[in-house]
Amino acid sequence: MKTVTETFGSMVFDDRVMKATLSAKVYASLRHTIDEGASLDPGVADAVASAMRDWAVAKGATHFTHWFQPLTGITAEKHDSFIAPSPDGGVIMEFSGKELIKGEPDASSFPSGGLRATFEARGYTAWDPTSYAFIKGKTLCIPTAFCSYGGHALDKKTPLLRSMEALNRQALRVLRLFGNDTVKRVVSSVGPEQEYFLITKEMYDARPDLRFCGRTLFGSKPPKGQEMDDHYFGAIKPKVAAFMEELNEELWKLGIMAKTEHNEVAPAQHELAPIYTTTNLATDQNQLTMEMMQKVAARHGLGPDLLRLYQGQDALHPDGVLLLRGPCAG
């Protein structure tokens, strides 16, 4: 049985992997891009793509995808295999720097179908090197920004990256006014937490409001509101504990610092809180956390497959996981 330290980040192309698989020159150039926002050299991109492919294939990956966050509340991905034809009739595994840096998915249906003319249907995904690539299933997922043919942001990552850059620029300006010329970059950080409800699939199937609307529409309030001191911080039930244990393992593989778990105030309400990290990475990891919650919940008889993902409001997913208000400030 593997220990937590052996499991953690095992499916992430993180700094440890980059140091081990890239030459010192390529690694230094990539870190310069990540840390200071410098332009990425095409030769460096090719070297990184080659190392990333070899690492992913060794982990059992067969496809890669540009993983992005369109304005639909969920993540999106288009999978391409690594295979390319060889002269002898077989295949070889290829992944170039061009494929790593840029993708061209169909943008005609984002954020809503039919909004743009046919000639404007093309969209572009651009690699975000500040968020580590990871393996999900048998697919290498590369976090990317997503924009339209005309350069308009069609995702949630692009505005976030722009706001982080604006904050960095203005913070450096203030530091310079105070005579501090040594700081090169100011990075914001976030520690999101997830509050959620777990119910059985049978209970979910008995509620038309949950099945048709994805959230609670009727029901009576408890006698004391939500001040259920017999549940808050109480002993975690075995079925819930088994869900939390498997969820932690899945999150740790993806390098997500799942730290705290406990019963919340309301009956069947629970919380998961990670250790804070940079804003961009925390946002990507929060999306993965919600996805993993639903997949693991389904395996524990807590609901069917995901049909819709809500964020920013109280909403019960059709798989039996309720995420309250999206990510909450920890």
Side-chain angles (χ1 to χ4, degrees):
M1 181 178 179
K2 290 186 177 181
T3 63
V4 175
T5 53
E6 292 173 325
T7 300
F8 189 84
S10 59
M11 293 298 174
V12 184
F13 192 78
D14 57 17
D15 197 67
R16 297 171 300 174
V17 180
M18 290 190 290
K19 279 184 178 179
T21 58
L22 301 175
S23 68
K25 181 179 179 180
V26 170
Y27 173 77
S29 178
L30 181 59
R31 287 306 321 179
H32 186 54
T33 298
I34 295 173
D35 297 334
E36 301 182 28
S39 298
L40 183 68
D41 183 86
V44 171
D46 285 330
V48 173
S50 178
M52 195 178 288
R53 176 205 62 207
D54 293 342
W55 170 80
V57 170
K59 292 283 187 179
T62 58
H63 289 68
F64 68 92
T65 182
H66 276 196
W67 184 75
F68 60 100
Q69 302 173 26
L71 302 174
T72 55
I74 59 177
T75 59
E77 47 198 71
K78 176 176 72 74
H79 297 188
D80 290 297
S81 68
F82 289 115
I83 65 170
S86 64
D88 60 0
V91 295
I92 56 176
M93 307 297 271
E94 288 188 345
F95 184 51
S96 66
K98 180 181 178 181
E99 291 173 311
L100 169 63
I101 293 174
K102 187 182 74 172
E104 295 188 22
D106 182 7
S108 61
S109 295
F110 292 110
S112 181
L115 287 184
R116 284 177 294 280
T118 304
F119 73 93
E120 295 177 318
R122 180 180 298 174
Y124 297 96
T125 49
W127 177 36
D128 173 19
T130 63
S131 183
Y132 296 131
F134 56 92
I135 295 175
K136 186 174 61 173
K138 291 190 175 183
T139 303
L140 171 66
C141 298
I142 304 161
T144 59
F146 181 49
C147 65
S148 71
Y149 178 78
H152 302 291
L154 297 177
D155 65 343
K156 296 183 177 181
K157 179 180 279 284
T158 301
L160 177 65
L161 293 174
R162 289 173 177 172
S163 64
M164 291 176 64
E165 183 56 34
L167 181 62
N168 167 64
R169 185 168 57 252
Q170 297 305 322
L172 288 177
R173 177 171 169 265
V174 172
L175 289 172
R176 299 294 182 266
L177 290 175
F178 282 97
N180 189 328
D181 297 325
T182 59
V183 177
K184 295 182 179 181
R185 192 170 185 83
V186 175
V187 180
S188 60
S189 60
V190 171
E193 68 182 30
Q194 285 293 347
E195 295 183 1
Y196 58 95
F197 283 84
L198 291 175
I199 66 172
T200 63
K201 184 178 182 300
E202 292 74 20
M203 293 177 64
Y204 165 79
D205 289 338
R207 290 285 297 273
D209 57 339
L210 302 183
R211 290 188 290 110
F212 296 137
C213 302
R215 60 184 302 170
T216 302
L217 296 181
F218 59 82
S220 60
K221 293 183 178 180
K224 296 176 61 180
Q226 286 192 333
E227 300 168 2
M228 305 294 289
D229 55 1
D230 60 334
H231 182 73
Y232 189 48
F233 281 5
I236 300 174
K237 296 181 179 179
K239 188 176 182 66
V240 176
F243 161 80
M244 290 180 171
E245 181 180 352
E246 185 176 349
L247 176 62
N248 284 333
E249 291 177 359
E250 295 295 333
L251 296 180
W252 289 337
K253 289 177 185 178
L254 294 171
I256 299 174
M257 293 277 187
K259 178 73 172 179
T260 303
E261 59 189 28
H262 61 83
N263 291 344
E264 257 295 343
V265 178
Q269 184 185 9
H270 311 280
E271 179 180 309
L272 181 148
I275 299 175
Y276 74 93
T277 185
T278 57
T279 302
N280 183 37
L281 186 57
T283 302
D284 286 352
Q285 291 183 348
N286 186 67
Q287 291 283 356
L288 283 172
T289 298
M290 291 190 288
E291 180 180 343
M292 287 300 116
M293 277 183 171
Q294 296 172 62
K295 288 183 176 180
V296 174
R299 293 201 288 265
H300 286 257
L302 297 172
D305 293 336
L306 170 64
L307 299 179
R308 184 174 299 172
L309 176 64
Y310 295 84
Q311 189 174 8
Q313 59 178 308
D314 293 357
L316 179 61
H317 301 305
D319 62 356
V321 177
L322 174 64
L323 303 184
L324 294 180
R325 301 176 296 279
C328 307

